[in-house]
Amino acid sequence: MLELRDLSAAYGDTPVLDAVSLTLPRGDTAALLGPSGSGKTTLLRILAGFETPSGGSVRFDGGMLNDAHHHVPPEARDFAMVFQDLALLPHLNAIDNVQFGLHRLKRPEARRRALEALDMVGLARFAERRPHALSGGQLQRVAVARALAARPRLLLLDEPFSSLDEELRLQLREELRALLEQLGITALLVTHSHLEAFAFGQWVGVLRDGALHQWDTPYNVYHRPSTRFVADFVGEGVFIRGSIREDGSEVETELGALPPSPGPLPDRREVDVLLRPDDVLHDDHSPWKARIVHKSFRGASFLYGLELASGTQVLSLVPSHHNHRLGEAIGIRLNLEHVMCFAPAEGRDVLTE
Amino acid sequence: MPATASAAPPRSLGRPRGWQLAALLLCVPTLVPLGAALWSWSAVDAALLEHLRSYVLPAAVANTAILLLLVLVGVLVVGVVSAGLVALTDFPGRALFSFLLLLPLALPGYVVAIAFLGLLDQGGGFLPGLPEWMPEVRNRYGLSLVLTASLYPYVFLITREAFQSQGLRAIEAARSVGLRPHQAFVKVALPLALPWIAAGASLALMEVLADFGTVAAFNHDTLSVAIYKAWYGLFSPQSALQIASLMLVFVVVLLTLEAQARKRMRFTAMGVGSVRRLPLPRRGRWLATAWCSAVFLLAFGLPVSWLVWAGLQHLDLIDARFIEWAKNSALLALMGAALVVVAATFLATSVHIAPSPALRTAQRIATLGYAFPGALLAVGIYVPLSQASQSIGGGLAASLAGGGVALLLAGYAVRFMAVAHAPVASSTMRLSPSILDSARLSGMPRGRILATVYWPTLRRSMAVGALLVFVDIMKEMPITLMMRPFGWDTLATRVFEYTSEGQWEQAAVPALLLIAVGIIPVWLLQRQTGQNNDTSHA
């Protein structure tokens, strides 16, 4: 089990991480999500032992790795890392690259383990190939095999799929997730793509400016974002104006009254309610009509941008056999399982990815 | 708890402090001559200084400055025109000339001077005799011509690269908005290549400032010659150092020029595979061929032919003594190459492992020596170190011979550190920092990292660096001449002895051997840089 308590870090006078706390159960996978500069890579490098925190503690399986009195060096942690640029040596073939991380073992044993790891990622027959003779996806697998071969207690992944095309990325992610599950390895992935984070992690953390806004299941991060930033950063959606009744039982919006989800509400009556595109359903019988102002085709569905009579815009994800023209008015209704209210913000209201 | 954390720790090998300190010390040999030049003003011999001021310095400074200017014009015209033709247009023999025009790099200026002066003196034996209208050329104009012939490749090479990598595409872009080919060249390709041209020209000028053999053969008193004469004529190392400090002004100007140019060299590689070269009209095509042929013949064909002809007349010079000179040259070059490549590799890997500002500065200083003329280095290293060793060791004559070679090697190390450092440092760039991180995460010990990560990656460029330094030391003249232990003649110093007595034909024999060695790096260079040159031939 990985435990961070109030972990802080700074480069000189610039704070990078601010009191981050989280717990990752043993054998689980997690993804840290955040825009560039949010501190996610620094967090990963602290876990690896490359950098030293300025405060707080890191524990793994009960052992203290970092606090005011401890700094366990990287080589003593039994962790492995898959780097963004893969860090493969150009002059070594695939199996020697995997073996590179196993230098503590005797040669025959290291060889056997390296081959086994290559086999796990389906590359046993490319063992003798050098990096320049392997495709992008194959290189990725070699890097993963190298990290797994050492049987690390914790696997750290620093945006390892960012250089691949979308389809390959998805495939590798699924394979890796299955492999980690099978081996029971605890893993933490860093990424700026929420789709990648959701597909990989049983847990997802959202970082902004060094602060951990939420550490939760992917479902909750998407549907029950704890802050406006998380709602904004993760996926598409809009905020519409609402006002909370005196008794707090419902929020009045121009698309009807909604029961707010349990949890703390903003301490004011005027709020913003988060509407995801999948919360807005197309319903010809609905009393609420909206005019289509833009549309984009996504294969299985259309994403419609809709304008209500008041001028408020919402997004709606509609199965693609409902093909309407721009300017056409269609009926919509809300179907929210979670009604998330936030203090209103100035500025833009339409969320994009 | 303190609010600050360890900021940007050194990459992955922890903090090898002793090691870093050693790397920092590598910049000391470069700083010694600078310190010596300043120190030389601490005690002034009024009579000597008056002599220098009245009879030596005005002429030396003026000669040096005028020579720099004349050669600048020469290398710009020859280098840029040739590079433009070869890289941007198409004409009969283009691909061949792209290589042939590099060949003069193999000829040190003093070798071209031997052929030039030998042709004038004894042309009758080789050519049917010189025409009467031939103007006198044993002056600074002839000298500039010789130096231009041996130094234009610096401009040609780097400008060819600039034109090839972005000039062609830029010209296409310019023509697509309606500029005619020559307008596109003048308005787009030439301004784009300016930083490269300036960098090449400043390197060529550094060589002019450093040149000793060529100007000595022409009896032209520049600052380099003045240093030599002050040391060996006036027997005043201090005066020599004072002249050297004057020379430093030129060094600083040229270094600044080069640094400014390099800062502006923004390299945006544009694919050249599908680009068509500019068409020349029929007459223009043959004019281009004629220009390139003329440059090649004057800078390489004619001098080398004469040297071969002259050398063949004096094959009897190849005796036991000659073999001894060749062995001395090779031995010094071998020791120097080994020393320099080890030091350069140590420096480059240290900076790669722990890129601290202090180490980066040390690296920059330690590799500045290419801008320091050999004469300046010779006097700047010899004087303080021999004085230091005298005051410490009591000046035993026996230890001086060994010390002499050590000092000589120190001089080579300063002058040629950059030659070996550049290829090795660029190879370290191929190793991403994460490779070191990953090695460290797996607990690999430092020695093992050097063996499995650095050595396989760097060994090729170390070999290239060593080879380049080897050839440079073989051809080096002033440092060897001034710092060699008594009785150690090398091929280059023999060339100097012969030329100072006007024995051009005899000088041709050792010169030919130096040319043969000098061809190797040119061939390497062509292999490295000229590859896409022929594939894009439409």
Side-chain angles (χ1 to χ4, degrees):
Chain A
M1 186 163 79
L2 174 70
E3 286 177 273
L4 310 188
R5 288 287 161 266
D6 296 326
L7 193 72
S8 300
Y11 287 129
D13 293 334
T14 316
V16 182
L17 288 176
D18 179 21
V20 172
S21 298
L22 60 86
T23 303
L24 177 60
R26 188 170 188 168
D28 279 7
T29 52
L32 270 178
L33 183 60
S36 56
S38 58
K40 53 191 194 302
T41 296
T42 302
L43 180 51
L44 208 64
R45 293 179 61 82
I46 287 177
L47 294 182
F50 296 137
E51 326 234 340
T52 321
S54 55
S57 66
V58 181
R59 257 173 208 281
F60 194 85
D61 284 355
M64 185 63 77
L65 299 181
N66 279 106
D67 66 3
H69 311 290
H70 296 80
H71 174 73
V72 176
E75 59 272 20
R77 296 191 175 208
D78 280 338
F79 291 175
M81 187 154 166
V82 180
F83 293 88
Q84 187 166 16
D85 65 3
L86 306 184
L88 297 176
L89 286 160
H91 61 275
L92 297 182
N93 61 24
I95 190 157
D96 286 339
N97 259 302
V98 176
Q99 216 175 318
F100 176 76
L102 298 172
H103 59 95
R104 280 174 180 152
L105 303 176
K106 289 221 165 62
R107 267 192 81 79
E109 171 66 4
R111 198 75 179 170
R112 196 186 60 71
R113 283 266 289 274
L115 198 59
E116 186 185 291
L118 273 182
D119 197 33
M120 280 193 292
V121 297
L123 278 186
R125 64 203 171 90
F126 297 113
E128 303 296 330
R129 289 223 189 149
R130 291 213 190 168
H132 66 85
L134 294 170
S135 70
Q138 289 168 335
L139 291 173
Q140 200 73 57
R141 286 165 211 243
V142 175
V144 168
R146 181 169 77 189
L148 292 179
R151 297 189 190 154
R153 301 192 295 166
L154 175 66
L155 179 65
L156 304 166
L157 303 113
D158 184 9
E159 306 218 16
F161 307 119
S162 56
S163 62
L164 302 176
D165 62 68
E166 198 52 55
E167 203 171 322
L168 195 55
R169 197 187 283 207
L170 185 77
Q171 184 191 344
L172 278 172
R173 211 160 48 209
E174 294 304 320
E175 283 179 25
L176 182 58
R177 189 176 168 154
L179 199 55
L180 291 174
E181 211 160 298
Q182 179 196 334
L183 298 172
I185 288 180
T186 318
L188 183 63
L189 172 93
V190 150
T191 178
H192 60 262
S193 149
H194 68 275
L195 292 177
E196 190 155 301
F198 291 168
F200 181 84
Q202 291 159 277
W203 304 93
V204 170
V206 183
L207 271 172
R208 183 203 197 181
D209 295 339
L212 187 62
H213 279 225
Q214 192 166 5
W215 177 256
D216 214 328
T217 62
Y219 183 90
N220 282 347
V221 167
Y222 184 75
H223 285 294
R224 302 179 51 84
S226 63
T227 66
R228 197 180 164 103
F229 170 76
V230 175
D232 192 345
F233 190 69
V234 173
E236 295 157 315
V238 297
F239 294 103
I240 60 168
R241 241 347 112 77
S243 94
I244 303 179
R245 278 199 198 142
E246 294 279 1
D247 59 359
S249 62
E250 285 195 310
V251 195
E252 300 276 7
T253 73
E254 56 185 296
L255 291 170
L258 304 160
S261 291
L265 287 171
D267 53 358
R268 51 197 293 179
R269 295 197 46 204
E270 294 300 311
V271 294
D272 278 352
V273 179
L274 172 65
L275 289 188
R276 296 288 190 197
D278 47 325
D279 293 333
V280 181
L281 302 186
H282 173 28
D283 181 356
D284 288 333
H285 309 295
S286 167
W288 290 291
K289 303 287 179 202
R291 199 169 55 84
I292 298 175
V293 289
H294 67 82
K295 69 186 225 184
S296 66
F297 182 56
R298 301 197 168 178
S301 54
F302 277 111
L303 181 69
Y304 287 116
L306 304 168
E307 194 175 79
L308 306 178
S310 65
T312 307
Q313 293 201 357
V314 297
L315 296 171
S316 174
L317 206 56
V318 174
S320 65
H321 50 263
H322 292 282
N323 191 0
H324 298 281
R325 286 188 312 278
L326 279 178
E328 203 176 321
I330 61 173
I332 55 168
R333 70 181 162 82
L334 297 186
N335 178 25
L336 276 75
E337 270 188 57
H338 310 280
V339 180
M340 303 306 299
C341 301
F342 301 96
E346 306 302 315
R348 68 194 183 122
D349 262 357
V350 177
L351 302 188
T352 49
E353 268 179 281
Chain B
M1 203 138 307
T4 56
S6 66
R11 286 170 191 163
S12 300
L13 289 195
R15 291 175 187 271
R17 289 191 186 281
W19 188 5
Q20 274 177 285
L21 195 67
L24 284 174
L25 285 179
L26 277 176
C27 67
V28 170
T30 313
L31 294 174
V32 166
L34 295 180
L38 292 181
W39 166 85
S40 70
W41 295 98
S42 65
V44 177
D45 182 331
L48 263 179
L49 192 62
E50 183 52 37
H51 171 80
L52 289 184
R53 230 184 46 176
S54 319
Y55 301 107
V56 180
L57 289 179
V61 170
N63 283 343
T64 304
I66 294 172
L67 192 62
L68 285 169
L69 210 66
L70 288 174
V71 178
L72 175 65
V73 174
V75 294
L76 283 181
V77 171
V78 179
V80 174
V81 170
S82 309
L85 287 174
V86 160
L88 301 177
T89 70
D90 208 0
F91 57 89
R94 187 198 64 80
L96 184 66
F97 280 118
S98 178
F99 169 65
L100 289 184
L101 290 181
L102 277 183
L103 277 179
L105 266 186
L107 307 188
Y110 60 80
V111 168
V112 184
I114 295 168
F116 185 84
L117 294 168
L119 264 167
L120 290 181
D121 274 10
Q122 292 145 325
F126 179 67
L127 294 171
L130 297 168
E132 281 177 19
W133 47 262
M134 182 87 177
E136 175 55 41
V137 284
R138 262 160 286 202
N139 51 27
R140 63 163 57 106
Y141 302 104
L143 173 59
S144 309
L145 209 62
V146 166
L147 284 174
T148 297
S150 77
L151 296 177
Y152 83 85
Y154 284 94
V155 176
F156 172 75
L157 180 67
I158 196 168
T159 310
R160 188 186 74 174
E161 288 306 300
F163 281 153
Q164 235 160 38
S165 59
Q166 32 195 8
L168 275 172
R169 189 61 93 191
I171 284 183
E172 280 200 339
R175 291 179 73 188
S176 76
V177 296
L179 268 71
R180 314 242 303 250
H182 64 274
Q183 289 174 318
F185 174 75
V186 173
K187 288 195 175 160
V188 179
L190 206 54
L192 252 181
L194 256 187
W196 279 261
I197 296 171
S202 51
L203 286 178
L205 292 188
M206 286 174 196
E207 293 300 316
V208 175
L209 187 64
D211 181 83
F212 177 78
T214 322
V215 289
F218 272 81
N219 264 328
H220 197 67
D221 285 343
T222 62
L223 285 168
S224 275
V225 176
I227 290 178
Y228 179 76
K229 286 188 173 170
W231 195 356
Y232 285 88
L234 299 173
F235 299 103
S236 169
Q238 192 171 5
S239 303
L241 275 174
Q242 285 167 345
I243 301 171
S245 61
L246 208 58
M247 201 176 210
L248 275 176
V249 177
F250 286 87
V251 172
V252 170
V253 170
L254 291 178
L255 269 175
T256 312
L257 180 66
E258 193 210 357
Q260 290 298 318
R262 291 212 181 268
K263 225 187 286 173
R264 289 175 172 76
M265 280 164 64
R266 292 276 174 276
F267 198 82
T268 43
M270 307 194 212
V272 287
S274 61
V275 177
R276 254 178 204 290
R277 296 173 183 287
L278 287 181
L280 287 175
R282 224 164 71 93
R283 264 229 318 252
R285 285 160 59 89
W286 289 108
L287 268 177
T289 308
W291 166 271
C292 290
S293 308
V295 170
F296 173 71
L297 282 180
L298 286 177
F300 193 85
L302 194 60
V304 170
S305 309
W306 184 85
L307 288 165
V308 170
W309 172 83
L312 287 177
Q313 326 253 319
H314 294 272
L315 283 180
D316 55 308
L317 276 179
I318 304 179
D319 54 11
R321 281 187 318 157
F322 183 87
I323 289 168
E324 189 64 25
W325 305 334
K327 261 165 61 182
N328 285 343
S329 280
L331 186 64
L332 283 178
L334 210 59
M335 289 193 291
L339 173 75
V340 171
V341 85
V342 167
T345 306
F346 180 63
L347 194 62
T349 48
S350 300
V351 173
H352 185 251
I353 288 168
S356 67
L359 266 182
R360 281 183 192 284
T361 310
Q363 173 174 255
R364 175 77 181 127
I365 293 173
T367 54
L368 271 185
Y370 67 94
F372 293 2
L376 184 159
L377 286 178
V379 64
I381 290 177
Y382 184 83
V383 173
L385 292 192
S386 63
Q387 285 202 347
S389 72
Q390 262 175 22
S391 61
I392 298 166
L396 287 169
S399 76
L400 219 88
V405 172
L407 285 183
L408 187 53
L409 292 180
Y412 291 151
V414 175
R415 178 108 172 100
F416 299 123
M417 185 64 77
V419 174
H421 180 267
V424 175
S426 81
S427 280
T428 61
M429 300 297 170
R430 286 169 47 207
L431 288 174
S432 79
S434 60
I435 286 180
L436 296 183
D437 283 344
S438 112
R440 190 172 178 218
L441 199 52
S442 70
M444 190 173 275
R446 192 177 302 157
R448 187 87 177 256
I449 295 181
L450 286 180
T452 56
V453 177
Y454 279 103
W455 169 246
T457 311
L458 301 187
R459 60 186 171 194
R460 273 181 72 106
S461 41
M462 285 172 71
V464 168
L467 181 71
L468 295 177
V469 174
F470 179 87
V471 174
D472 271 341
I473 294 180
M474 290 282 285
K475 299 193 297 190
E476 204 287 329
M477 188 183 279
I479 299 179
T480 317
L481 195 63
M482 297 187 211
M483 296 177 81
R484 79 203 137 118
F486 183 75
W488 268 64
D489 274 346
T490 68
L491 294 174
T493 64
R494 283 315 299 174
V495 169
F496 176 75
E497 305 289 343
Y498 285 132
T499 53
S500 57
E501 288 155 29
Q503 295 178 306
W504 314 117
E505 293 186 9
Q506 283 83 344
V509 182
L512 279 171
L513 193 52
L514 292 177
I515 294 175
V517 177
I519 296 276
I520 302 170
V522 181
W523 172 74
L524 269 181
L525 203 62
Q526 175 64 15
R527 255 185 24 152
Q528 250 171 32
T529 62
Q531 277 154 348
N532 56 0
N533 198 24
D534 297 329
T535 49
S536 57
H537 183 65

